[in-house]
Amino acid sequence: MRTHYCGLVDETLIDHPVALCGWVDTRRDHGGVIFIDLRDHEGVVQVVVDPDNAAAFKTASAVGYEYCLRVTGTVRRRVSANERVKTGHVEVLAERIEVLNAARDLPFVLHETTNEDLKLKYRYLDLRRPDMQRAMRMRTRLVSALRRHLDARGFQDIETPILTKATPEGARDYLVPSRVHAGEFYALPQSPQLFKQLLMMAGFDRYYQIARCFRDEDLRADRQPEFTQLDMEFAFVEERDVQDAVEDMIRAIFKEIADVELAAAFPRMTYEEAVRRYGSDKPDLRIALELVDVAEQVKQVEFKVFAEAASDPDGRVAALRLPGGADLTRKQIDELGAHVAKHGAKGLAWIRVDDRAKGREGLNSPIAKFLDDATLTALLDKVGAQTGDMVFFGAGEYKTVSDFMGALRLKVGRDRGLVENAWKPLWVVDFPMFEYDAEAGRYVALHHPFTAPKVDDVADLKANAKIAVSRGYDMVLNGNEIGGGSIRIHRPEMQSAVFDLLGISADEAQAKFGFLLEALKFGAPPHGGIAFGIDRIAALIAGTESIRDVIAFPKTTSAQCLMTAAPSPVPVAQLTELHVRVVERDPKA
């Protein structure tokens, strides 16, 4: 049907016949000559329709925006070159134009709309946009490059089940009712975690999979109910073995796909240091601003918000210096207060340094009256404040303060243009093994229940669960966690101890994980692995904030597909066959 792609017509084809297929990007009628920009996934080429060719001219006169055409003609040099497109030195003189399919008026102009819901409803139109075409082709190259890299290094691509057993991994499972086992359900995998561990126990040594995963959780810009990850597992390894191997892979992939030279060696930072300095376990190192602990400077002050947090072993008083921030207006400061409130802050204290040399008289602050001169001086010295700076303060429970001050750091860094134009990868290591869920009254796993602790002794782990450190690690790039993994538990007694600390009884553990506990008894090797978010990596390379821009058919933030209207009701007869009955939700519940 075609001999060439529109976007690949070049000067080597001058005086040669071509047959092209594509969509009408624009149509222009200039003094009796019609110009059509014909577009396919490779790009756009200009088609010229001369009035001397009556049949072609008649057809061209009637075509509209996004009509699907087949054009045959001869390539010639353009009189006026267009340097903005790669076909800008040539054009095609049409001999015949066929309308393969007309297009009715589109619900939006492809390159103009900003209505996300409209684009998702007509996703097949949105995907025609050159930006989306480029993003999806880049994603294809990314996945291909990952496969080639791993295939060349002895990894085996092994598929694991999609219909599997529900496991607690921090989010709700999507459940699938069984027709042949009445009242029983499969779960869609949140990850292939247990199966890849079993593969190591089966002796496969190095595994990978481009895996589809499913999590029924609240969505954000970087979350989807179904997503794709590169899943990997290694036998007989320690942390550094995994990290070095995948670090080499990410360096090679970014060079091949994005022509980006990442650091020759990624820095390593403990979880504790990352949260203390940046208020986040995925710090964006492109922003030089850092949090500073000032509890020692405010333990004795009259300001109870500071003093109580400073004296609490689980509290924190943190400061953030914004160089040159004294020009912030009161309205802007209030907006920052509203922003940190979304992240748990009950308030945002601040000191504006108008003239450091004037002492108290050179400061503007609603909290200065609660602080004596010595404390003010100590605080400003601690953070290195100079004339023209703004210093923000947060006080309260350690994690809450870290969260909202970390969010403040990102907000002012981006708003003030303090984000370095660079790629800043790092490893965050030594995560806590557990965190305490006060509402549930028990510990929960910070990564997942199969992550190994740094201690080998079960009694030691149980005695020091609150401060236990795991063998988990995350790869972070420009403030995004792109990969997370750990060394796994490979001894049954340690796995049982972790289940116990997580409030999973022996009976429950046997019911949910009996197959794993059994497998661990048959010479399970030390093993570890990692999973990378394909969607997140593709979004970073594409330079977009949302992974929806690199997924062909994404869901909305309410987990709906506007194009197909999924999820949707199903007939009662089908539910009956599946032994399922829909119970109406109580609106008061």
Side-chain angles (χ1 to χ4, degrees), residues 340-353:
V340 296
K342 298 175 185 176
H343 296 269
K346 295 180 179 178
L348 183 64
W350 51 272
I351 297 175
R352 191 176 75 202
V353 185

Side-chain angles (χ1 to χ4, degrees), residues 74-207:
T74 304
V75 180
R76 69 184 189 185
R77 189 177 299 278
R78 286 180 66 159
V79 175
S80 299
N82 180 359
E83 301 294 347
R84 291 175 297 176
V85 294
K86 59 183 179 181
T87 61
H89 287 268
V90 295
E91 61 190 12
V92 176
L93 179 62
E95 295 168 6
R96 185 182 179 201
I97 297 179
E98 302 171 58
V99 176
L100 300 176
N101 212 333
R104 71 178 191 183
D105 290 343
L106 270 63
F108 57 88
V109 178
L110 299 188
H111 61 278
E112 291 181 0
T113 187
T114 57
N115 186 319
E116 289 297 319
D117 285 354
L118 198 59
K119 290 197 293 186
L120 290 177
K121 182 177 180 180
Y122 297 95
R123 185 63 165 180
Y124 44 86
L125 295 178
D126 188 44
L127 286 169
R128 287 185 192 173
R129 293 189 298 113
D131 285 349
M132 287 301 303
Q133 292 278 319
R134 282 191 292 271
M136 297 309 299
R137 294 182 75 182
M138 176 274 293
R139 182 185 174 118
T140 298
R141 295 197 309 274
L142 170 64
V143 172
S144 176
L146 289 168
R147 287 189 184 280
R148 282 187 278 105
H149 184 94
L150 295 172
D151 289 344
R153 286 158 180 80
F155 285 83
Q156 287 183 258
D157 182 0
I158 303 176
E159 296 176 347
T160 55
I162 293 295
L163 295 176
T164 182
K165 190 180 183 72
T167 58
E169 290 200 40
R172 297 180 186 90
D173 291 309
Y174 279 102
L175 300 177
V176 179
S178 170
R179 179 181 59 81
V180 296
H181 299 282
E184 298 184 353
F185 296 81
Y186 300 103
L188 302 182
Q190 295 187 34
S191 82
Q193 180 62 46
L194 295 182
F195 287 104
K196 66 179 180 179
Q197 289 189 238
L198 293 169
L199 287 170
M200 296 304 100
M201 299 172 201
F204 283 99
D205 198 70
R206 287 190 166 198
Y207 142 95

Side-chain angles (χ1 to χ4, degrees), residues 219-423:
L219 273 66
R220 299 194 296 271
D222 61 344
R223 297 281 175 89
Q224 283 281 302
E226 53 180 317
F227 56 94
T228 306
Q229 68 184 33
L230 168 62
D231 207 55
M232 302 174 66
E233 199 77 4
F234 306 66
F236 301 107
V237 288
E238 296 183 335
E239 291 92 327
R240 195 66 185 239
D241 299 315
V242 177
Q243 293 165 10
D244 287 348
V246 299
E247 185 177 314
D248 286 344
M249 176 187 73
I250 291 298
R251 248 192 312 270
I253 295 309
F254 267 76
K255 177 60 179 174
E256 177 178 344
I257 305 303
D259 196 25
V260 168
E261 296 273 4
L262 295 179
F266 296 179
R268 281 166 171 74
M269 184 180 298
T270 65
Y271 171 91
E272 183 279 328
E273 181 184 358
V275 172
R276 175 171 50 82
R277 293 174 61 187
Y278 302 104
S280 172
D281 61 2
K282 47 180 184 295
D284 189 342
L285 300 186
R286 297 173 302 167
I287 301 172
L289 305 177
E290 293 190 23
L291 306 185
V292 177
D293 285 315
V294 293
E296 289 301 319
Q297 285 72 32
V298 297
K299 277 186 176 179
Q300 308 301 322
V301 300
E302 294 181 18
F303 193 37
K304 287 188 177 181
V305 174
F306 279 8
E308 290 177 358
S311 301
D312 185 346
D314 295 320
R316 183 177 195 187
V317 185
L320 177 70
R321 169 182 167 246
L322 177 60
D327 62 357
L328 286 171
T329 66
R330 188 56 187 265
K331 180 174 181 293
Q332 290 172 317
I333 295 172
D334 290 343
E335 288 171 349
L336 292 174
H339 179 73
V340 296
K342 298 175 185 176
H343 296 269
K346 295 180 179 178
L348 183 64
W350 51 272
I351 297 175
R352 191 176 75 202
V353 185
D354 293 326
D355 189 339
R356 181 75 200 268
K358 291 183 178 180
R360 178 183 293 272
E361 298 305 314
L363 306 179
N364 186 319
S365 170
I367 64 168
K369 60 187 176 184
F370 302 110
L371 308 175
D372 58 40
D373 290 352
T375 299
L376 284 170
T377 298
L379 283 173
L380 298 180
D381 285 347
K382 179 72 173 178
V383 300
Q386 305 294 324
T387 296
D389 292 348
M390 176 73 81
V391 184
F392 296 101
F393 299 89
E397 189 270 329
Y398 194 95
K399 184 178 186 307
T400 302
V401 171
S402 300
D403 286 346
F404 74 73
M405 290 298 285
L408 176 67
R409 171 183 173 271
L410 293 177
K411 172 73 173 168
V412 297
R414 291 165 182 166
D415 288 352
R416 306 281 292 190
L418 302 178
V419 182
E420 183 184 353
N421 183 21
W423 294 89

